Every structure is written in structure tokens, then in C-alpha cells.
């Protein structure tokens, strides 16, 4: 376990799982303030501070807990500055904070094992046999965070560049765009994974996410998010969406894996804070639920565009009634063979 110290301030004592050196490394300094003090120093009313703190994914601190740092004050002021400068629309700051925090929390969750391993190496002692004091910044962990920070900053900026290329004039609050939206879903996931160990399940999930990310990226699409045993993606080009949809089950197929099915729909969607919203998203999801294993179903709008494409063949299937769509017309898409007639 990490070194444990106690924070004391005006009679309050609370155990924290880090030493002073780790606090300096991760939090920029010691824990100095209560929640009332950090709200006052950041210039925020207590209710606004609480709303943003929870939106960032952090738990409530007791009134007299001394757990906040100077970096907390600076970060909260910066969030307020983003709103005051007009970069974040008034009334959406909590949504902005949630959208920022959720992927970073997931990133931090898996990186915790890397960090605890580095801290264990630091606690094991120096080559001369001496051990670091609790207030020393752990050098191995410091080097790890420096490397991770550099890579993460590069990836973030590269994705920003790609986003600007896709939509150079996109407004900050979101935009309505015409996109193909796809869901790829593992068939029989619960049954197939019931007897798996945690390690086996972890390997399969990692393989699925890696396969989906590679196929979508190669096809010119974008992974929006992983949703349980599936993945949600978008593409600006209908043919690219079809190729991604057809390639995913092919690349994933193996005897020991649950098969994959895909639903695709095309139309106007709202892109906001890294997510997509509209009935088109729901339609793609419903198409997935009626698709057979290994197949790709598309809606009428996408079928109409693919019918004019020489590479793909679309065939109407029996109409279905699903939740939210009483008379759903699915179309089965496949690649044309050499002897298929041109449209």
C-alpha cells in the first residue's frame, strides 16, 4: 500500500493514502484547504463549486476535511475563465466538466497500476540502500508521469488537428451534421462470457476494442465510445461506413469469439462534447438488434446512397416492428461479386 499520512487542520484529522512527496507529484502541492476555503479562493459560490466538483467525478468532502490544494483553486478558476471568456456557453459548464472528466477518469483508472508499480520501485530503495523520505518526490513515478504526460499531450493535439480537418468551422457548443452512424454489437456476449475468468474476459474486451479502433480508423471513421459489449462509431462518407461495417465482423471472426453484427443509419445528428445524439443513433442501435450474426443492416437513407455505389449490394428485408420504430425497413448490405450486375 501507499504510505499513509494524516492531514490536520483546526482539529480535523483525515487519513490520506499518499505521502507529501506523492501529493506534490500528483496534486502540485500539499492539501491546505477545506471545501469552503477552496470555493472562496476560486471565487465560486459554494453551490457552483459543488456542482462542478461533482461533475468532474470527485466525491463530496466533509465540511472540515483539509483535502484541497492550490492546483484545485487554479483549476476551478480556469473553468470559470472558460465560461467568462465565452469558450464554454453559460449553463453548459457542468456538461463540459463531465465530458472532460469521464474519459480522463477511465484513463487514470488503468494507469493507476503503472503508477503504483513505479511507486513500489521507489519505495524499494535507492542503489545505495537508502530509502526515500515520505516528503521526497518519488523519482521513478515522476519520470513515468513526465513520459505519460508528453504522450497524452501529443495524442490530444493530434486528435484536435484531425477534428479541425473534419469540421473546421464547428461551433464549440456542438453542431448538426449529416453522418453515418454505426453500432457493432457482440452476439450472445452474456452466454459466451459466463464461464470466463476475469483475465480471459479482459483479454477478449481488449481484443475487441483494439480491433474496432483499428478498423474504424483505417476506414476513415471515428469511434465515439464503447458501449458495454459494443462500439458506436461515425463516418462522413456512406461508402466508408459500409466498408467499416462489413470489415468489422470479418476482422473479428474466430471460433472462440462471439460473432459480431452491425447496424448503420444515415442522417442529421447533433455532435456535442464528443458524443452524438438524434433518432439516427437510435435507429442504428435498433437495426443491430434485428441483425443476424455476421451481417450488416442499414436504414433506407443509407441504402439509397449505397445502391448507387458499384462496390456494394443492398437487399430489402422484411419490415420489422421494434421499440421506437413501428415499421422499420432494414436493408442487408454486402460487397458485390464480379458477376453481380451494376446498379
Amino acid at each position: 500500500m501507499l504510505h499513509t499520512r494524516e492531514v490536520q487542520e483546526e482539529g480535523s484529522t483525515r487519513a490520506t493514502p499518499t505521502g507529501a512527496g506523492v501529493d506534490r507529484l500528483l496534486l502540485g502541492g500539499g492539501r491546505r484547504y477545506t471545501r469552503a476555503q477552496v470555493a472562496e479562493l476560486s471565487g465560486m459560490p459554494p453551490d457552483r463549486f459543488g456542482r462542478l466538483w461533482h461533475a468532474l467525478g470527485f466525491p463530496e468532502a466533509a465540511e472540515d476535511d483539509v483535502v484541497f490544494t492550490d492546483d484545485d483553486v487554479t483549476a476551478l478558476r480556469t473553468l470559470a475563465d472558460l465560461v467568462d471568456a465565452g469558450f464554454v456557453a453559460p449553463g453548459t459548464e457542468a456538461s463540459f466538466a463531465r465530458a472532460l472528466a469521464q474519459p480522463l477518469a477511465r484513463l487514470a483508472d488503468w494507469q493507476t497500476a503503472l503508477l503504483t508499480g513505479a511507486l513500489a520501485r521507489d519505495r524499494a530503495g535507492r542503489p545505495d540502500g537508502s530509502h526515500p523520505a515520505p516528503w521526497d518526490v518519488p523519482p521513478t513515478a515522476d519520470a513515468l508521469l513526465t513520459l505519460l504526460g508528453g504522450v497524452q499531450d501529443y495524442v490530444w493535439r493530434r486528435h484536435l488537428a484531425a477534428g479541425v480537418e473534419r469540421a473546421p468551422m464547428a461551433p464549440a457548443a456542438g453542431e448538426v451534421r449529416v453522418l453515418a452512424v454505426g453500432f457493432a454489437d457482440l452476439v450472445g456476449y452474456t452466454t459466451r462470457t459466463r464461464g470466463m475468468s476475469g483475465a480471459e474476459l479482459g483479454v477478449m474486451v481488449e481484443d475487441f476494442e483494439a480491433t474496432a479502433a483499428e478498423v474504424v480508423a483505417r476506414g476513415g471513421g471515428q469511434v465515439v465510445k464503447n458501449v458495454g459489449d459494443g462500439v458506436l462509431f461515425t463516418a462522413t462518407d456512406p461508402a466508408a461506413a459500409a466498408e467499416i461495417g462489413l470489415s468489422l465482423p470479418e476482422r473479428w471472426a474466430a471460433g472462440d469469439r462471439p460473432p459480431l453484427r452491425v447496424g448503420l443509419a444515415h442522417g442529421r445528428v447533433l455532435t456535442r462534447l464528443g458524443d452524438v445524439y438524434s433518432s439516427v443513433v437510435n435507429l442504428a442501435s435498433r437495426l443491430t438488434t434485428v441483425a443476424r450474426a455476421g451481417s450488416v443492416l442499414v436504414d433506407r437513407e443509407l441504402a439509397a446512397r449505397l445502391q448507387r455505389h458499384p462496390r456494394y449490394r443492398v437487399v430489402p428485408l422484411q419490415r420489422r416492428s421494434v421499440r421506437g420504430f413501428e415499421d422499420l425497413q432494414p436493408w442487408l448490405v454486402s460487397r458485390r461479386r464480379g458477376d453481380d450486375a451494376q446498379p
Side-chain angles (χ1 to χ4, degrees):
M1 295 179 60
L2 300 180
H3 179 81
T4 300
R5 68 185 178 91
E6 290 186 342
V7 176
Q8 293 184 325
E9 176 76 10
E10 297 179 356
S12 170
T13 302
R14 193 179 80 84
T16 64
T18 61
V22 178
D23 274 359
R24 290 208 306 275
L25 175 65
L26 297 177
L27 304 179
R31 305 172 192 241
R32 304 176 56 188
Y33 309 117
T34 65
R35 69 185 192 193
Q37 290 170 334
V38 78
E40 180 181 1
L41 289 168
S42 63
M44 287 188 176
D47 59 339
R48 186 187 183 193
F49 159 73
R51 185 170 63 254
L52 285 177
W53 189 250
H54 296 151
L56 288 169
F58 302 125
E60 184 83 36
E63 187 174 350
D64 57 352
D65 278 351
V66 183
V67 295
F68 299 99
T69 70
D70 287 320
D71 274 9
D72 293 321
V73 175
T74 301
L76 290 165
R77 284 176 178 165
T78 302
L79 277 173
D81 289 343
L82 284 167
V83 177
D84 295 340
F87 294 118
V88 176
T92 67
E93 62 181 6
S95 298
F96 173 84
R98 281 193 301 273
L100 181 69
Q102 288 170 3
L104 291 178
R106 184 183 180 196
L107 184 66
D109 187 54
W110 77 260
Q111 288 178 346
T112 298
L114 297 177
L115 180 58
T116 54
L119 289 171
R121 290 170 59 185
D122 285 318
R123 289 195 304 274
R126 302 182 177 94
D128 61 4
S130 63
H131 292 270
W135 52 84
D136 290 339
V137 172
T140 306
D142 189 14
L144 171 66
L145 261 62
T146 299
L147 294 171
L148 286 177
V151 171
Q152 287 166 196
D153 184 70
Y154 158 74
V155 174
W156 169 62
R157 291 181 181 277
R158 205 69 174 83
H159 276 294
L160 278 178
V164 170
E165 290 173 5
R166 286 192 300 268
M169 300 304 292
E175 105 178 281
V176 175
R177 302 174 62 193
V178 176
L179 293 172
V181 178
F183 267 106
D185 173 58
L186 294 173
V187 182
Y189 173 82
T190 302
T191 303
R192 290 289 190 99
T193 59
R194 189 170 292 145
M196 284 186 174
S197 67
E200 292 171 332
L201 180 58
V203 169
M204 191 187 76
V205 171
E206 170 62 24
D207 287 347
F208 172 65
E209 293 185 358
T211 300
E214 180 182 350
V215 171
V216 173
R218 282 180 178 272
Q222 183 178 16
V223 172
V224 177
K225 58 186 174 183
N226 294 293
V227 187
D229 56 348
V231 63
L232 171 64
F233 64 91
T234 61
T236 56
D237 179 51
E243 189 61 32
I244 291 170
L246 291 166
S247 298
L248 278 169
E250 295 169 351
R251 286 287 306 278
W252 174 250
D256 59 342
R257 291 173 171 175
L260 200 61
R261 58 187 176 183
V262 180
L264 293 164
H266 188 272
R268 293 165 62 86
V269 301
L270 172 67
T271 61
R272 182 175 182 271
L273 298 175
D275 212 336
V276 289
Y277 306 87
S278 86
S279 61
V280 175
V281 181
N282 296 333
L283 180 52
S285 176
R286 298 296 178 266
L287 285 166
T288 306
T289 64
V290 300
R292 291 185 177 182
S295 68
V296 179
L297 297 186
V298 303
D299 73 328
R300 181 179 302 172
E301 292 296 324
L302 189 52
R305 285 162 173 77
L306 295 177
Q307 281 177 324
R308 300 190 292 268
H309 198 287
R311 189 172 183 181
Y312 303 106
R313 181 171 181 262
V314 288
V315 178
L317 302 182
Q318 183 179 356
R319 293 178 181 271
R320 304 287 295 270
S321 178
V322 297
R323 183 161 58 91
F325 299 91
E326 295 298 325
D327 191 29
L328 175 62
Q329 170 69 76
W331 296 69
L332 179 67
V333 61
S334 60
R335 293 189 185 88
R336 289 186 177 276
R337 300 188 302 271
D339 56 349
D340 278 349
Q342 291 296 311

